Amino acid sequence: MANHETIFDQLKKQIPVDEEESLILNRDSSVGLVIVDVVNGFCTIGSGNMAPTKHNEQISKMVEESAKLAREFCDRKWPVLAFIDSHHPDIPEIPYPPHCIIGTEEAELVPALKWLESENFATLRRKDCIDGFVGSMEKDGSNVFVDWVKEKQIKVIVVVGICTDICVFDFVATALSARNHGVLSPLEDVVVYSRGCATFDLPLHVAKAIKGAQAHPQELMHHVGLYMAKGRGAKVVSKISFET
């Protein structure tokens, strides 16, 4: 029998994520939801240099799951923090092309999450860098994310968004380091919801035609992002349910 196992299949065997099956949340969970960069510039077809050029199932599913979770949290009056990638046109974010420029539709939440702008239980934070933790820093030395955790007395954060291996991972890694250093009390756990995350797709043959571009195969890099997050101490789950 022919062996049809792909390189990706082999890689998943060598660096398995071993996702925990389910996270069950209830009224005593002391949980907050962090949504990373679910904006048009990364998720809506044709919305700029970093947006998909055609339907992308992984990104569409991520948007759907993020919006569903956001609604569940707000209906329960649980805190939600949404990072919104927003860049000044004269300050590039190397190595990426211009994207999510302030004042454009690229730097706005996707239609499925636009309602968060008027939601009492949601905090929106525009950021001009990859890492939302760094992007939460204020000039006076305070940090919007840290203050949100402390004010809401959050013990667990659930993280969703895009890109799994870039903005999501960088934020998760920094949050875990801050927790380990005792500056994020009372935070105990960082949970990455795999079905609520996605990354972009840039196949090798396409990257070769773009000067300076690196190949970024979507499924592979999504898996690597989850693997790295778990390696830093995050919990990775494939299902989230709510007790009534």
Side-chain angles (χ1 to χ4, degrees):
M1 181 179 294
N3 184 359
H4 297 294
E5 188 175 57
T6 66
I7 292 175
F8 181 45
D9 292 330
Q10 296 173 19
L11 182 141
K12 286 194 293 184
K13 288 182 178 180
Q14 293 298 316
I15 54 169
V17 173
D18 294 330
E19 298 178 39
E20 298 177 37
E21 184 175 339
S22 179
L23 173 68
I24 302 174
L25 300 174
N26 57 50
R27 67 184 65 184
D28 300 318
S29 296
S30 300
V31 62
L33 175 66
V34 177
I35 302 171
V36 180
D37 294 342
V38 185
V39 297
N40 292 317
F42 295 138
C43 306
T44 302
I45 295 172
S47 294
N49 292 318
M50 297 296 291
T53 58
K54 59 184 179 180
H55 174 76
N56 184 286
E57 186 61 28
Q58 188 185 94
I59 293 176
S60 295
K61 189 64 178 178
M62 175 275 297
V63 171
E64 178 185 333
E65 291 296 320
S66 297
K68 188 187 303 182
L69 272 186
R71 182 62 72 183
E72 291 279 6
F73 271 66
C74 290
D75 285 350
R76 289 169 170 76
K77 301 181 180 180
W78 294 351
V80 174
L81 174 64
F83 288 120
I84 301 175
D85 205 50
S86 305
H87 295 279
H88 191 280
D90 297 327
I91 304 177
E93 185 175 54
I94 299 170
Y96 304 103
H99 62 278
C100 300
I101 302 301
I102 295 172
T104 70
E105 282 299 309
E106 290 183 38
E108 297 295 333
L109 290 168
V110 296
L113 286 172
K114 196 71 173 170
W115 58 272
L116 284 176
E117 293 179 354
S118 57
E119 173 56 56
N120 291 332
F121 301 101
T123 300
L124 274 55
R125 173 66 179 187
R126 291 191 177 274
K127 66 178 183 66
D128 60 356
C129 60
I130 292 172
D131 188 336
F133 193 103
V134 174
S136 294
M137 293 179 178
E138 300 282 29
K139 291 181 179 180
D140 63 4
S142 63
N143 187 292
V144 171
F145 168 66
V146 173
D147 292 345
W148 178 75
V149 169
K150 293 179 180 294
E151 177 187 342
K152 308 297 184 183
Q153 287 293 288
I154 296 169
K155 294 183 179 179
V156 178
I157 57 170
V158 175
V159 185
V160 295
I162 191 168
C163 293
T164 319
D165 55 315
I166 306 172
C167 294
V168 171
F169 171 72
D170 279 22
F171 168 74
V172 165
T174 308
L176 287 165
S177 292
R179 179 205 64 182
N180 292 346
H181 283 272
V183 299
L184 260 183
S185 178
L187 187 70
E188 296 174 359
D189 290 318
V190 176
V191 179
V192 178
Y193 176 40
S194 60
R195 296 175 69 233
C197 293
T199 192
F200 69 93
D201 190 32
L202 187 63
L204 178 60
H205 71 276
V206 177
K208 283 182 175 180
I210 303 173
K211 184 178 180 180
Q214 285 186 300
H216 191 274
Q218 185 179 49
E219 291 294 334
L220 172 61
M221 298 311 297
H222 174 68
H223 180 84
V224 169
L226 296 175
Y227 179 81
M228 293 292 289
K230 183 154 189 174
R232 292 293 191 275
K235 295 181 178 179
V236 179
V237 301
S238 59
K239 182 179 178 181
I240 295 178
S241 58
F242 298 83
E243 289 185 350
T244 56

